[in-house]
Amino acid sequence: MRIDIVTIFPEFFDVLDISLLGKARQTGIIDLGVHDLRDHAHDRHRTVDDTPYGGGAGMVMKPEPWGEALDGILEGGPGDPGDPGDPGDPLVIFPSPAGDVFTQAMARELANEQHLVFGCGRYEGIDQRVFDDTAVRARVRLVSIGDYVLNGGEVATMAMIEAIGRLIPGVVGNPESLVQESHEDGLLEYPSYTKPAEWRGRAVPPVLLSGNHGAIAAWRREQQLERTARVRPDLLA
Ligand code: JFT
C-alpha cells in the first residue's frame, strides 16, 4: 500500500519509523511519503493560512498550497485524469471533526486500498474548495476519529494509519492475533495472565493452569461477555 501524508508538521510522522509499521516500510509492504505543505507556499514567509471570509475567529488554510501538493501526489497515478470512482484510484482522507466516525469496520475497508492520501489540516480548517476540487480527481472522505477535539489532523492520521496498517497482511507477525482481538468479534478481550503464577499475593485463575482447554475457552468467553456487558453494553446490542 502507498500512503502519502500532507502536513505542516512532517517531523511528527518520524515515529512511524520506530513503530510497528517500521518493518513493513523496510520490506516494501507500506510505501510512505510525507510531504511538507509549506514546500508549496511560495511567498517569502511560506504562508499556509489566512483570515476567514465572512469573519470569525482563527485562521483558515489557504487553498493554493493544498492544490499544488495534492496535484503532485495524484498526478500520473491510476485514474488520472478525471474519473474518480475506479477502485485503484487514490482515496484522499481529510481528518475532520465533521467527518464520518472511524471504526474498525472502516479500518478493514481502508486496508484494501492501494493508495491512501491523508490531508492533515490545522487552525480552523481548510478552505472548502480544496475538498470540492480534490473530489473531481479522486475519491474524497472526511473522517473523524471520535467525539473529542484535537488541534489538527496529524494525531487522527497517526491513529488511522496504525489501525489500518496492522490489518495489511505481513505487518503484524501473527495473523491469528488479529481475529482474537477486541472489536474483531464484537466483544472486549478476556483478561490475560503470564508468569509468575502468584504475584503480590494474587493468584492466576486456577482454570488457566488446569490444562483443560475446553474449560479455559469457556472461562474466557464468560469473561468477555461479563466485561463487555459491564463496560460496553452498546457492543452487545
Ligand atoms: C481537528 C479533529 C478530529 C479528527 C482536522 C483541522 C483543524 C482543529 C479544529 C477543532 C475543532 C473544530 C477545527 C481539526 C480535527 C477529531 C481534524 C482538523 N482542526 N474545528 N478534531 N477532533 N476527532 N479526525 Cl483541519
Side-chain angles (χ1 to χ4, degrees):
M1 179 189 285
R2 170 74 190 181
I3 299 177
D4 287 290
I5 301 169
V6 181
T7 173
I8 59 169
F9 298 120
E11 333 78 55
F12 187 95
F13 295 93
D14 288 352
V15 72
L16 288 174
D17 291 327
I18 53 167
S19 74
L20 132 122
L21 302 178
K23 223 174 260 160
R25 289 185 65 191
Q26 282 160 20
T27 60
I29 297 169
I30 296 176
D31 180 19
L32 183 73
V34 182
H35 310 267
D36 189 344
L37 183 70
R38 286 193 200 278
D39 290 348
H40 303 279
H42 302 295
D43 66 306
R44 220 170 173 319
H45 299 105
R46 309 217 292 163
T47 309
V48 295
D49 64 320
D50 206 336
T51 54
Y53 275 121
M59 300 292 271
V60 174
M61 294 193 104
K62 297 166 60 61
E64 305 97 316
W66 280 104
E68 188 180 294
L70 292 169
D71 282 350
I73 291 166
L74 297 176
E75 84 189 1
D80 176 60
D83 58 347
D86 291 352
D89 283 358
L91 176 61
V92 183
I93 298 172
F94 292 100
S96 165
D100 300 329
V101 177
F102 185 74
T103 61
Q104 189 64 20
M106 196 190 293
R108 278 193 292 266
E109 276 176 43
L110 298 178
N112 294 317
E113 294 284 339
Q114 268 147 54
H115 187 185
L116 296 178
V117 180
F118 290 92
C120 304
R122 284 262 147 186
Y123 315 110
E124 297 309 304
I126 304 171
D127 187 302
Q128 177 63 33
R129 293 168 294 180
V130 172
F131 310 124
D132 303 340
D133 180 68
T134 307
V136 175
R137 282 162 297 146
R139 290 171 297 143
V140 170
R141 289 189 75 163
L142 305 193
V143 180
S144 169
I145 60 163
D147 290 339
Y148 37 81
V149 182
L150 306 173
N151 280 329
E154 283 81 7
V155 165
T157 292
M158 191 72 81
M160 287 189 269
I161 288 175
E162 187 155 308
I164 295 162
R166 61 192 293 289
L167 298 177
I168 297 170
V171 174
V172 166
N174 174 14
E176 213 178 83
S177 67
L178 291 179
V179 286
Q180 293 263 322
E181 273 169 2
S182 185
H183 299 283
E184 288 287 344
D185 62 1
L187 296 175
L188 301 180
E189 283 170 80
Y190 51 77
S192 297
Y193 297 87
T194 186
K195 271 80 70 187
E198 191 183 308
W199 177 72
R200 296 190 176 177
R202 297 170 187 276
V204 170
V207 65
L208 298 178
L209 310 178
S210 70
N212 182 338
H213 299 295
I216 291 168
W219 180 85
R220 285 178 167 169
R221 198 70 187 169
E222 183 194 303
Q223 291 290 313
Q224 284 193 285
L225 289 165
E226 185 281 319
R227 222 181 205 191
T228 307
R230 182 163 41 86
V231 307
R232 293 295 305 278
D234 57 301
L235 293 179
L236 288 177

